[in-house]
Structure formats: structure tokens, C-alpha cells
Amino acid sequence: MQALRDAVALIAAVAANGVIGRHGRLPWRLPEDLRHFRTLTTGHAIIMGRRTWESLPHALPSRQNIVVTRQDAYRAADATIASSLEDALSRVAYPPPAFVIGGGELYRAALPVARTAHITEIARAFEGDATFPPLDPREWRETSREAHVHEGEQAFSYAFVTYERT
């Protein structure tokens, strides 16, 4: 189990109220977070639920795209299909860690086996229908924080934060 845990990382942008999505989309526009996501995940496997996959325009380049779904006949161009998180992890062919990128149900399934969580903490609440599970401070410790301010119509503070399981 320890080898599996060391190979799994969570990555998410999370609003102050735990929201990560609304109607299959991000409720904010934060290009800096998308660049951060690309930098961290390029060259690795990304594991996502079907709805997250369907929110993307195409497979994300330079990454192994793995889609978890219970739909037996589901097909996804340029992606590997898996029936569960465990099945997805068994199909990872890229170097560790494998990044779980959403949605909420898959984050909850991956939380017990993840070693690292890369969270963009957005210091503003947003309306949404998908949430990120809280990280128990008795099990996770912050190891780095990089604070930023997003200017524009939707001005807010945010930080790229890394947590490690204790």
C-alpha cells in the first residue's frame, strides 16, 4: 500500500468554500493556475472521472490521460478507460506520481491513497455543485505556499499550496 500511496498526487483548484466546479466547468478564470497545472502534470499520468474528461476539449497533451467510468462501453479518444481508481492506477505507464485531477467523487476515492496534494487555494467563495474533500490537518502538513493576487473583473487572492501526508 505504501508504494501505491507514494505514486498518487491530488491536484485541484479549490475555492474558500470547497467548491471545485459548477455545471462541469471551473467557476473562475485563472490562467496562472492552468499554467501551474500544466507544469506539474506534463510527463505524468492524469486520472479523471468521466465528467471531468467530458469537460475537456481533447486529451491533454504530453500526459497519459486515464478516464474512470462505470460505463462498460465508454470510449474516449486518446485516453485509457478504467473501471475504478485501482484499475486506473494499474494502467499507469508514465513516471510517478499519477495525478488525480477530478472530479469530486474521484478525489474522495483517491484521498486515502494520496501522498501529496497540490492545491490552488482561492481566497473567495464561489457557487458550485462539485466540492473537494477537506484535508484533515492531523494527516496533512503544508510544505510550501506561493501567494498570488489575480487582478481583473474577478479579483481575488490565491496560493499554490503543497501538502504532504504526515
Side-chain angles (χ1 to χ4, degrees):
M1 180 59 112
Q2 187 63 38
L4 176 67
R5 176 173 284 160
D6 289 342
V8 178
L10 308 176
I11 187 166
V14 183
N17 58 344
V19 166
I20 58 172
R22 182 176 184 200
H23 305 304
R25 300 275 179 233
L26 294 173
W28 49 79
R29 180 162 156 51
L30 189 55
E32 299 87 350
D33 179 55
L34 298 177
R35 283 192 290 277
H36 181 68
F37 174 90
R38 184 175 54 243
T39 297
L40 288 174
T41 62
T42 294
H44 298 278
I46 53 173
I47 300 171
M48 68 200 90
R50 178 189 52 79
R51 288 185 294 257
T52 299
W53 167 260
E54 291 174 353
S55 75
L56 301 175
H58 49 74
L60 298 182
S62 304
R63 287 157 272 208
Q64 180 187 9
N65 289 248
I66 303 173
V67 179
V68 177
T69 180
R70 292 183 208 98
Q71 297 179 13
D72 292 336
Y74 193 79
R75 300 288 174 257
D78 301 318
T80 302
I81 303 300
S83 60
S84 66
L85 175 63
E86 294 75 21
D87 185 26
L89 292 171
S90 75
R91 296 171 184 271
V92 170
Y94 280 47
F99 286 90
V100 174
I101 69 167
E105 186 177 333
L106 196 56
Y107 284 133
R108 283 182 272 290
L111 187 61
V113 297
R115 174 75 183 155
T116 306
H118 298 279
I119 308 297
T120 299
E121 293 182 351
I122 297 173
R124 178 177 159 192
F126 283 84
E127 288 186 31
D129 52 18
T131 59
F132 189 83
L135 299 178
D136 184 338
R138 295 170 297 180
E139 296 180 23
W140 295 88
R141 67 180 170 83
E142 182 178 315
T143 58
S144 71
R145 176 176 292 268
E146 184 181 317
H148 300 274
V149 175
H150 176 68
E151 303 293 340
E153 272 184 48
Q154 283 188 330
F156 51 82
S157 297
Y158 66 95
F160 298 136
V161 186
T162 301
Y163 293 93
E164 298 287 335
R165 188 176 293 279
T166 56

